[in-house]
């Protein structure tokens, strides 16, 4: 018993009462399969969109680099943790993203949460005024956290509403300080896309820096899977833990941007460097991804099929155009019940509930991957239609 246990219990009871308490449920992974409580399940919940977490080349290179270079980098990058492997992978990432330079971070959360404050500090240092951050309302929590850590008030524009964004840019035109537009390219809860070329145009017109989180686009969208920013963003953040099948994240942009972050991004400065095995998996993924156009086409085609079937049955899949297909249910407990019922049908998915999404918009977040067959997608759609009908 600790001093706060009674308070912890009370807080958790409140979550229980509204169906938003989260719990950990372990699974066992076997190649191409997920096992939970002895049941074999089709996974439609993870972010391993291209199936690279099980790819033999990634396994081999991760193991090889661990055997050759050890299990850890042993120090932060600015002490003695920068291996020649880090620089080689960063150069490869920069070429993949068509940028001058890239910088590795431990995770996407860490990158956003420490890079945004570093950029905001630049405005104060160079102009004496706070950064003006124009942020899509549905940006990932790590981006909102970064702004909170920087102590800046976000100027939030309605989701993907560029007319609203321009109105806000005009309103703040005379406000002193540097300005930055922050968005995701693919939004993780709705599966829709930002209009990056239009955002670039607005950024140029109003002298704003464009920050694009490409976590869910990298590997899946764009030429050879390089994402949607296509050299249009001033800064691109991407993760290696989703379509790249490993762990870690990166910032890509100009050489001066990366050099600035080496000196000012606390998450980079004060964290131990990524270990060789992780670097090996990233390196191998970058070799594989450009040649996966067939898999990308199949993946997006299956997502289109799922949306068509569900929409025809009256289901709301938001504005999804990607491998992420939300199925809006409404109430949190109802979404949980449907997810549990789907597990009984052999599908592993999750109910996304407040506070991750707004109240009343609890949903199933279906994340497709290249290991699925067309028949799996059709059976999933049929199960959702049948089970949600039973819950009504």
């Amino acid at each position: 018993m600790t001093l706060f246990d009674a308070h912890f219990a009370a807080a958790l009871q409140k979550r229980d009462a509204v169906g938003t308490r989260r719990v950990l449920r372990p699974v066992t992974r076997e190649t191409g399969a997920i096992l939970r409580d002895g049941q074999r399940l089709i996974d439609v919940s993870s972010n391993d969109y291209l199936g690279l977490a099980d790819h033999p080349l990634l396994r081999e290179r991760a193991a090889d680099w661990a055997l050759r270079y050890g299990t850890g980098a042993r120090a932060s990058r600015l002490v003695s943790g920068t291996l020649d492997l880090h620089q080689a992978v960063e150069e490869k990432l920069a070429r993949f993203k068509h940028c001058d330079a890239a910088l590795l971070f431990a995770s996407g959360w860490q990158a956003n949460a420490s890079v945004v404050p570093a950029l905001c500090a630049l405005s104060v240092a160079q102009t004496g005024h706070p950064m003006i951050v124009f942020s899509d309302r549905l940006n990932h929590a790590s981006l909102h956290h970064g702004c909170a850590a920087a102590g800046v008030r976000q100027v939030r524009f309605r989701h993907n509403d560029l007319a609203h964004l321009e109105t806000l840019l005009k309103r703040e035109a005379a406000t002193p300080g540097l300005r930055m537009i922050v968005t995701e390219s693919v939004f993780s809860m709705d599966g829709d896309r930002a209009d990056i070329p239009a955002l670039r145009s607005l950024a140029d017109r109003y002298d704003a820096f464009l920050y694009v989180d490409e976590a869910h686009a990298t590997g899946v969208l764009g030429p050879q899977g390089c994402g949607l920013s296509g050299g249009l963003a001033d800064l691109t953040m991407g993760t290696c833990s989703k379509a790249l099948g490993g762990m870690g994240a990166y910032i890509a942009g100009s050489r001066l941007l990366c050099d600035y972050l080496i000196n000012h991004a606390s998450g980079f400065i004060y964290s131990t460097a990524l270990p060789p095995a992780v670097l090996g998996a990233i390196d191998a993924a970058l070799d594989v991804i450009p040649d996966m156009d067939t898999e990308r086409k199949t993946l997006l085609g299956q997502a289109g099929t799922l949306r068509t079937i569900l929409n025809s049955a009256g289901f709301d899949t938001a504005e999804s155009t990607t491998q992420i297909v939300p199925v809006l249910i409404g109430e949190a407990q109802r979404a949980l019940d449907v997810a549990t019922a789907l597990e009984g049908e052999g599908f592993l998915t999750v109910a996304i509930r407040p506070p991750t999404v707004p109240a009343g918009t609890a949903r199933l977040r279906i994340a497709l991957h290249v290991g699925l067959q067309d028949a799996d997608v059709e059976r999933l759609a049929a199960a959702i239609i049948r089970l949600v009908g039973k819950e009504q």
Side-chain angles (χ1 to χ4, degrees):
M1 178 70 71
T2 70
L3 179 64
F4 286 175
D5 273 7
H7 300 296
F8 296 148
L12 290 170
Q13 286 169 5
K14 289 181 180 179
R15 285 290 183 94
D16 282 331
V18 294
T20 61
R21 181 171 178 174
R22 300 178 174 99
V23 296
L24 300 176
R25 296 187 62 200
V27 300
T28 299
R29 288 186 63 239
E30 296 179 356
T31 301
I34 293 287
L35 302 177
R36 175 181 279 171
D37 300 328
Q39 182 183 7
R40 188 181 183 91
L41 299 169
I42 295 174
D43 183 14
V44 288
S45 66
S46 77
N47 299 319
D48 186 21
Y49 305 125
L50 298 179
L52 294 188
D54 290 317
H55 194 285
L57 183 63
L58 274 70
R59 288 171 176 260
E60 291 166 9
R61 196 165 300 171
D64 178 49
W65 285 22
L67 289 171
R68 291 168 62 189
Y69 304 112
T71 59
R74 306 173 303 108
S76 65
R77 293 286 299 275
L78 288 171
V79 181
S80 58
T82 295
L83 309 176
D84 54 2
L85 303 176
H86 290 96
Q87 293 188 323
V89 171
E90 285 169 343
E91 290 171 3
K92 203 167 185 176
L93 279 165
R95 291 193 298 271
F96 176 64
K97 297 299 292 184
H98 305 291
C99 292
D100 293 337
L103 193 64
L104 286 163
F105 283 77
S107 72
W109 174 278
Q110 183 206 49
N112 284 335
S114 60
V115 169
V116 170
L119 295 174
C120 290
L122 180 69
S123 181
V124 174
Q126 298 301 311
T127 72
H129 299 282
M131 178 79 78
I132 308 166
V133 180
F134 299 88
S135 179
D136 190 294
R137 285 187 179 276
L138 295 191
N139 277 345
H140 192 267
S142 58
L143 292 167
H144 295 310
H145 180 89
C147 291
V152 299
R153 181 183 65 83
Q154 298 178 66
V155 181
R156 298 194 187 189
F157 58 95
R158 290 187 291 270
H159 176 52
N160 273 343
D161 187 338
L162 301 193
H164 186 222
L165 171 59
E166 184 162 22
T167 297
L168 297 174
L169 286 163
K170 287 178 180 177
R171 188 189 74 187
E172 301 293 337
T175 304
L178 301 178
R179 54 210 68 232
M180 179 166 64
I181 299 170
V182 181
T183 186
E184 297 181 58
S185 60
V186 170
F187 289 84
S188 60
M189 291 298 110
D190 284 44
D192 56 344
R193 315 181 194 199
D195 187 341
I196 304 301
L199 284 164
R200 177 72 267 165
S201 179
L202 282 175
D204 290 340
R205 201 176 313 151
Y206 293 93
D207 198 24
F209 184 93
L210 181 57
Y211 187 127
V212 178
D213 180 327
E214 288 258 78
H216 292 274
T218 300
V220 177
L221 300 172
Q224 296 185 309
C226 70
L228 296 176
S229 60
L232 296 174
D234 294 297
L235 179 154
T236 296
M237 194 290 294
T239 58
C240 306
S241 54
K242 297 177 178 62
L244 270 67
M247 188 60 195
Y250 60 88
I251 295 294
S254 71
R255 179 73 264 169
L256 283 172
L257 165 68
C258 291
D259 287 346
Y260 173 80
L261 295 176
I262 287 170
N263 288 274
H264 292 272
S266 59
F268 178 87
I269 296 167
Y270 300 112
S271 292
T272 300
L274 289 175
V278 170
L279 297 174
I282 297 170
D283 188 72
L286 293 173
D287 286 341
V288 171
I289 280 176
D291 296 323
M292 297 187 73
D293 283 345
T294 298
E295 289 84 351
R296 281 185 280 273
K297 182 178 180 181
T298 298
L299 175 63
L300 295 175
Q302 289 179 337
T305 297
L306 179 61
R307 283 190 296 270
T308 297
I309 297 172
L310 293 174
N311 294 159
S312 297
F315 285 80
D316 185 354
T317 57
E319 299 298 322
S320 168
T321 61
T322 67
Q323 74 280 5
I324 300 168
V325 182
V327 184
L328 272 65
I329 302 296
E331 294 305 314
Q333 188 59 52
R334 186 162 172 249
L336 275 175
D337 292 342
V338 174
T340 300
L342 275 172
E343 189 168 325
E345 299 273 338
F347 291 99
L348 178 59
T349 187
V350 292
I352 305 296
R353 297 157 286 156
T356 303
V357 294
T361 69
R363 66 199 62 187
L364 303 177
R365 179 186 179 274
I366 307 298
L368 302 183
H369 59 83
V370 298
L372 297 171
Q373 301 298 314
D374 291 347
D376 296 327
V377 175
E378 292 167 6
R379 189 161 67 85
L380 171 63
I384 291 171
I385 294 168
R386 184 176 68 258
L387 294 171
V388 173
K390 286 183 179 180
E391 293 295 325
Q392 289 176 338

